[in-house]
Amino acid sequence: MYLPAEVCVVLPGQPIGRRLSPNQTQEMITFACRKPWQNADSIVGDGRAVLGLNPAANSIAGAFGIQVGSSLVTVAARVLSPPQIKYKNARTKQETVMVPRFGSWNMANVQFHTGSNLGRWTYIHFTSNRRGDNFSAADLQQNVTKFRAFLNNSGINANGFIQVPPPPTVNLVDGENARNDSIIRDIFRRFHTAAPEVKPRFVFCVLPYNDVALYNSIKTVGDTKAGIHTVCVVGSKFMKQNRQEQYFGNVSLKFNLKAGGINHTLDAGKLGIISEGKTMVVGLDVTHPSPGSKEGAPSVAGIVASVDKWLGQWPADFNVQTGRKEMVEALESMMISRLKLWQKRNNNALPINIIIYRDGVSEGQYQSVLDEELPLIRNACRQIYPAEATKQSFPKISIIICGKRHHTRFYPSAEKDADRSSNCEPGTIVDRGVTEVGAWDFFLQAHCCLQGTARSAHYYVILDEIFRGVKPTGQHKNAADALEDLTHNMSHLFGRATKAVSLCPPAYYADLLCTRLRCYLSDQFDPQETSATPSVASGSTGTKSKDDPIAIGEALKDTMFYI
């Protein structure tokens, strides 16, 4: 029997098997967001009833003689104190210290710890017929001038502003993505071929609205074709007068990181062995095709690594590989590139310790990381380190698997132990009661959750050659305390925010890198969207080719272009 779609009715409550749009995702999160105590009550109330676990005569569990308690498990936890955040005083240019409250802090009246020089930079104002801007070109130019003054006051040298063709205003047509993409490519082609004295290093892009296709086009062309840093803002937000200082501050964080600066640091004592300048920290992640991606779409592996003891800069490398393969295929060459960069930034010295935070690995793949990825890392070290060092088992390597896709949630047992959003306080550590007996793992909630129930990051140590060999000092009683405290303190070093983040920055940066790579491969990962951005890693046929790598511009290669 065949019926037209118009007369069919979809029953409510059906799961959707494809990727949601950004607006749908936001609506879903808003709808599902509740206070933590409401979720806890649902688990022990409605949850037991739905699963048939209530002690009723006709319950499913009762038929099998199973009894389930009516309350959640209570476990012991500790709250680690936050580290002090170091900036520069805007007047004296000396170091100034801030103490986070509720997991965040304010950088008003201070400068970045290490300011950068933007070099030549300019801006482009993109307009669209979908929605007219309520500001003129003169108003925007005036606001850019104010923003330039803000950058200078923050410690960034932004005096290299230039006015170069094409004109600062570019008109786009909504829905005509191929035309818009061609216009953007032409603009950046002219930037790229301009004379050296007028070729910009940064292009500040003012967008008419938040559009995925437009953003993908700008990032793909700027990063992979022109070799020019781009920073995108939405015009209505950039021009808003109230809370303008805060918005300028958030954007300036990206400028300083991309230009090679260090936004803020911690006291050396809070970074343990890293403060000695002989330990490289690595973040590793792999992104896979999502539901709705093209058949045969590739996976992309990304790696970031620190270059000094300040943990302020994390240059990246990546590789397009076989689709849905979790293990990193080109890890050996990627690791060699990170070690060579460390060598270049540290007077030809090599790190004696390498701490790796590996993201995106399920429990069933922990052994695969040791069997497949660890040998590649050791092979890379053998090619770079002198024979004497490798004979003495240098460098020492520790691998920590981290992830947030788990179903463990923690709720404060008393109101006095809760923060403003009724979650556990930032810095909460749980390393007993619900962790594995024969393994080394812990849960850390370093951040302050804005809404809903906070989700702790789960860290699982699958290899340690570093922390067990170091004698605990100060308040650390053992190697576990040292690693937990280090991970918590590092969570305050995420350069794109003035707050502690939920995932340790190496893994967080690697995730951001993979997200940026999805922009370059948008026609592979999001073919259902209106993006007309041609894939960088594919030929004209549109099929994936992992032998044709994404080519990041030479000027961007050793920078945090993905921020």
Side-chain angles (χ1 to χ4, degrees), residues 31 59 161 196 228 358 401 443:
F31 174 80
S59 70
F161 178 79
I228 297 173
R358 177 68 162 92
I401 306 294
F443 292 90

Side-chain angles (χ1 to χ4, degrees), residues 82-83 98-106 420 426 448 492 498-499:
M98 294 186 174
V99 179
R101 293 185 69 251
F102 305 110
S104 64
W105 60 93
N106 194 328
R420 294 177 297 182
C448 179
H492 292 75
T498 56
K499 58 181 62 183

Side-chain angles (χ1 to χ4, degrees), residues 384-452:
I384 300 296
Y385 283 76
E388 294 78 10
T390 54
K391 286 179 182 177
Q392 297 176 17
S393 300
F394 285 109
K396 304 293 185 183
I397 299 173
S398 290
I399 302 177
I400 302 103
I401 306 294
C402 47
K404 293 184 66 182
R405 293 189 179 183
H406 56 78
H407 300 289
T408 305
R409 300 290 183 273
F410 298 99
Y411 305 94
S413 56
E415 189 174 349
K416 63 180 179 62
D417 298 324
D419 67 359
R420 294 177 297 182
S421 59
S422 301
N423 281 291
C424 296
E425 296 180 66
T428 298
I429 284 273
V430 178
D431 56 6
R432 61 198 67 193
V434 292
T435 54
E436 295 194 24
V437 177
W440 181 1
D441 66 321
F442 59 93
F443 292 90
L444 168 62
Q445 182 204 317
H447 68 299
C448 179
C449 185
L450 298 179
Q451 61 179 4

